[in-house]
């Protein structure tokens, strides 16, 4: 069954124009475990987002815009903490740069996202996210253009392909890039956004169709003949599907992104997921 949400059935956002400052993008692999944690824990703690929303105590995620960027955390108790003692968080994936910083419009803002419906509502965020992922979605975006203390269905959308990929007015420079964790030793010509990087590490790179096709072929050969992990790319019409190994003990591959051509016909493969590095100064 398709997710019961007025925007969930829209086609993937293929508008790769400069980012609107009001949309924050999260990968569903990061968000769904947090939502499941909030939905399944026996009790829940107060958060500043809930207090500002004057909402009842209930399973929820809290959105926070901080100096470290946008993040979602669970209010479930017992809490979920990382090895460094900080709350486990799903972090928004965006660019950082000398002029624009991140696309978050302000700092120290919060929002309350009920995981189970507010009184009188039939919308359950955790179910909707899980159904969206089962239907092929990979990205969640929060639209905070007209943000209210409680972020409801009208402020949420999912898609198989990420939008808002490039910094406004970015200058693009030619470079040779590599991403050893995903592509092994392959070196590829690209255009990179001068002075910008992903907040997850690496430059913002986009590739012409011939280079994208070579990358698809290289990774297929590597998976067949070289030991170790290799990402897999497959054509689906004019788009490229990105696969990784299953991490749950099952055999086979799991799709976790879809990349289409931008208005210039270039492919931002691995954007905000793979740490592409410029190699020109290292060779």
């Amino acid at each position: 069954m398709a997710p019961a949400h007025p925007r969930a059935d829209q086609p993937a956002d293929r508008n790769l124009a400069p980012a609107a400052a009001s949309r924050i993008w999260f990968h569903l692999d990061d968000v769904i475990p947090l939502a499941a944690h909030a939905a399944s824990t026996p009790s829940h703690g107060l958060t500043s987002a809930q207090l500002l929303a004057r909402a009842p105590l209930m399973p929820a995620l809290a959105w926070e815009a901080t100096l470290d960027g946008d993040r979602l955390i669970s209010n479930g108790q017992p809490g979920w903490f990382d090895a460094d003692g900080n709350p486990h968080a799903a972090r928004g994936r965006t660019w950082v740069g000398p002029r624009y910083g991140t696309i978050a419009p302000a700092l120290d803002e919060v929002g309350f996202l009920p995981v189970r419906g507010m009184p009188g509502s039939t919308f359950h965020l955790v179910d909707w996210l899980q159904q969206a992922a089962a239907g092929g979605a990979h990205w969640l975006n929060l639209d905070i253009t007209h943000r209210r203390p409680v972020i409801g269905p009208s402020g949420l959308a999912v898609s198989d392909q990420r939008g808002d990929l490039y910094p406004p007015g970015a200058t693009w420079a030619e470079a040779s890039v590599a991403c050893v964790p995903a592509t092994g030793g392959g070196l590829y010509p690209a255009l990179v956004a001068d002075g910008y990087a992903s907040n997850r590490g690496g430059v913002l790179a986009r590739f012409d169709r011939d280079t994208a096709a070579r990358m698809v072929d290289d990774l297929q050969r590597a998976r067949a003949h070289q030991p170790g992990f290799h990402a897999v790319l497959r054509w689906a019409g004019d788009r490229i599907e990105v696969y990784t190994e299953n991490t749950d003990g099952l055999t086979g591959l799991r799709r976790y992104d879809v990349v289409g051509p931008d208005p210039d016909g270039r492919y931002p493969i691995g954007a905000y997921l793979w740490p592409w590095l410029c190699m020109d100064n290292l060779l």
Side-chain angles (χ1 to χ4, degrees), residues 77-173:
Q77 298 292 330
W80 184 354
F81 294 92
D82 292 333
D84 60 6
N86 289 316
H88 185 74
R91 298 194 176 275
R93 296 174 184 252
T94 185
W95 61 77
V96 292
R99 179 177 175 187
Y100 288 95
T102 71
I103 61 173
L107 300 176
D108 299 321
E109 292 190 352
V110 296
F112 188 69
L113 287 79
V115 169
R116 294 297 181 192
M118 291 283 284
S121 171
T122 60
F123 176 71
H124 299 291
L125 177 65
V126 63
D127 298 335
W128 178 65
L129 291 174
Q130 291 170 341
Q131 292 172 23
H138 303 299
W139 295 93
L140 167 72
N141 77 72
L142 271 61
D143 187 338
I144 55 172
T145 308
H146 305 293
R147 183 180 61 83
R148 297 180 179 179
V150 176
I151 300 176
S154 63
L156 305 172
V158 291
S159 60
D160 60 354
Q161 179 177 334
R162 189 196 192 282
D164 301 334
L165 285 160
Y166 305 143
T171 300
W172 297 89

